[in-house]
Amino acid sequence: MSEYGTQFLPRTGPGPSVVVAGGGTAGHIEPALALADAVKRLRPDATVTALGTEKGLDTRLIPARGYPLELIPPVPLPRRPTTDLLRLPGKVRGAVARVREVLTKVEADVVVGFGGFVALPAYLGARGRVPIVVHEANARAGLANKVGARFAAAVVAAVPGSGLPDAQVLGIPLRHAVTTLDRAGLRPEARRRFGLPPTGPVLLVFGGSQGARTLNSAVAQALPGLLHEGIGVLHAHGPTGQAAPPQPGYVPLPYIDDMHLAYAAADAVLCRAGAMTVAEVSAVGLPAVYVPLPHGNGEQALNAEPVVRAGGGVLVPDAELTGDRVLAELVPWFRERNRLAVMGAAARASGHADADERLAQVVFGVLGR
């Protein structure tokens, strides 16, 4: 067993051996695991192995979902071609060699990559050995997927205009617990779980796993007005984020583990516009005020644009989000319950709730079985 290896789990049947490469952040890991679940649902005889590193969330999220994790050396990847690329060859060679070792061991039939610093070694290690399927979640493709798409058997994107040629637009694979969520049926349980009022509207606020200072500040300013309107607030402020003191109708939490219950408890959302966030919020039919992170290459605003165009939400620039703006955008929604329903239906219609199984079918199509 290699320095980076895990105990080898032999194949359990004649089905395909699928290797997924989506390590690092939840935005890469969750779509990979959603695909893994769909593959196993459609082909119980299949074997799925995940590639990852000791950095990031790989070692926590992947084994918890029941999939074997094979570790490779981490290869930090610049977002754009820069002089940092000159430092990569040595690290890439070691990671590629480890990928090839894993592919041989698990008798891989296909590699499915989701971008990030795990995907690039996976693509290079699989090239010429097994077919590759590339999935791009963001509105603008990153460097790893740009490289992998050049020799992939199939290229899939979440939204149009990713920059990957001939990409089939399927959406982002999401957890089955999200895509099959019965919000109305789970609402009483969800409200009890978080200590929210059993009746009346609820706003869900979250800024990703680390929270978001702008959202936290704006919610604190808007809170008296929201509570005055009878609007409950479930606020995931991040492990180091500041929140207002708990009070009737306001529930602050550092992190929400059971996001499907949070969605069931809510009537609308105030959130960032990461690809996974937009996909999940629209899939469950919640209208949202999206506040794109003002960094990177502007992809967060692009992620939310299809939902906004469909009428399922609005975009507010980070610099413009204040307590007054929160009230101006959201209070009219809650005063007109019909409006929430119409916007929620538009959000759901703009999404791709079946992306997990459609991507699985692309993978099976590449394999011809």
Side-chain angles (χ1 to χ4, degrees):
M1 183 168 65
S2 157
E3 169 190 2
Y4 295 97
T6 58
Q7 184 177 0
F8 173 50
L9 299 178
R11 296 175 65 175
T12 57
S17 175
V18 179
V19 173
V20 295
T25 66
H28 289 127
I29 296 169
E30 288 295 346
L33 294 179
L35 170 68
D37 290 345
V39 166
K40 292 295 290 182
R41 218 166 37 244
L42 297 175
R43 290 290 304 270
D45 60 342
T47 300
V48 181
T49 305
L51 293 177
T53 75
E54 291 179 343
K55 292 188 175 182
L57 299 172
D58 310 35
T59 55
R60 182 165 72 87
L61 296 182
I62 294 171
R65 292 280 284 274
Y67 292 103
L69 170 64
E70 293 283 353
L71 297 176
I72 66 172
V75 181
L77 197 60
R79 292 185 65 87
R80 298 181 180 88
T82 67
T83 54
D84 290 340
L85 285 172
L86 300 177
R87 305 186 185 100
L88 287 180
K91 293 181 178 179
V92 170
R93 279 195 295 271
V96 168
R98 170 61 185 149
V99 167
R100 289 174 178 166
E101 178 184 318
V102 172
L103 298 182
T104 298
K105 185 168 70 168
V106 302
E107 302 176 34
D109 294 307
V110 63
V111 168
V112 188
F114 292 83
F117 53 78
V118 174
L120 182 60
Y123 297 148
L124 297 177
R127 186 180 186 182
R129 288 167 168 77
V130 297
I132 296 163
V133 176
V134 170
H135 181 278
E136 177 56 58
N138 288 302
R140 289 178 175 164
L143 181 60
N145 278 351
K146 287 180 179 178
V147 172
R150 293 175 183 172
F151 44 84
V155 179
V156 177
V159 295
S162 67
L164 299 181
D166 303 319
Q168 183 179 357
V169 177
L170 294 183
I172 301 177
L174 300 174
R175 290 169 293 159
H176 212 46
V178 169
T179 59
T180 60
L181 181 66
D182 178 3
R183 282 176 49 216
L186 274 179
R187 176 161 299 186
E189 175 191 343
R191 294 282 180 97
R192 286 194 301 271
R193 159 74 171 76
F194 294 111
L196 290 161
T199 60
V202 167
L203 172 67
L204 170 62
V205 183
F206 66 98
S209 60
Q210 298 305 309
R213 182 179 301 174
T214 304
L215 272 63
N216 293 345
S217 175
V219 167
Q221 295 166 18
L223 189 59
L226 292 169
L227 295 179
H228 177 75
E229 290 284 338
I231 301 167
V233 180
L234 176 58
H235 180 194
H237 53 77
T240 61
Q242 297 295 315
Q247 52 193 291
Y250 174 65
V251 179
L253 296 169
Y255 186 76
I256 298 175
D257 286 314
D258 299 321
M259 278 303 294
H260 66 292
L261 288 179
Y263 293 143
D267 298 280
V269 180
L270 172 65
C271 58
R272 288 298 193 195
M276 282 295 294
T277 295
V278 174
E280 288 196 353
V281 169
S282 58
V284 299
L286 280 167
V289 173
Y290 293 107
V291 186
L293 189 70
H295 301 299
N297 56 12
E299 71 268 15
Q300 284 213 353
L302 295 175
N303 290 338
E305 277 187 1
V307 184
V308 172
R309 279 199 308 270
V314 298
L315 271 173
V316 175
D318 185 85
E320 297 179 14
L321 189 74
T322 63
D324 287 342
R325 185 67 181 271
V326 169
L327 294 174
E329 295 288 352
L330 285 162
V331 168
W333 295 6
F334 289 108
R335 286 178 176 171
E336 304 171 32
R337 299 291 291 179
N338 235 11
R339 186 173 177 182
L340 283 174
V342 170
M343 293 183 69
R348 182 185 289 275
S350 72
H352 301 268
D354 60 348
D356 56 345
E357 295 194 358
R358 293 180 69 192
L359 180 56
Q361 295 294 358
V362 170
V363 172
F364 298 148
V366 165
L367 295 176
R369 53 186 170 130

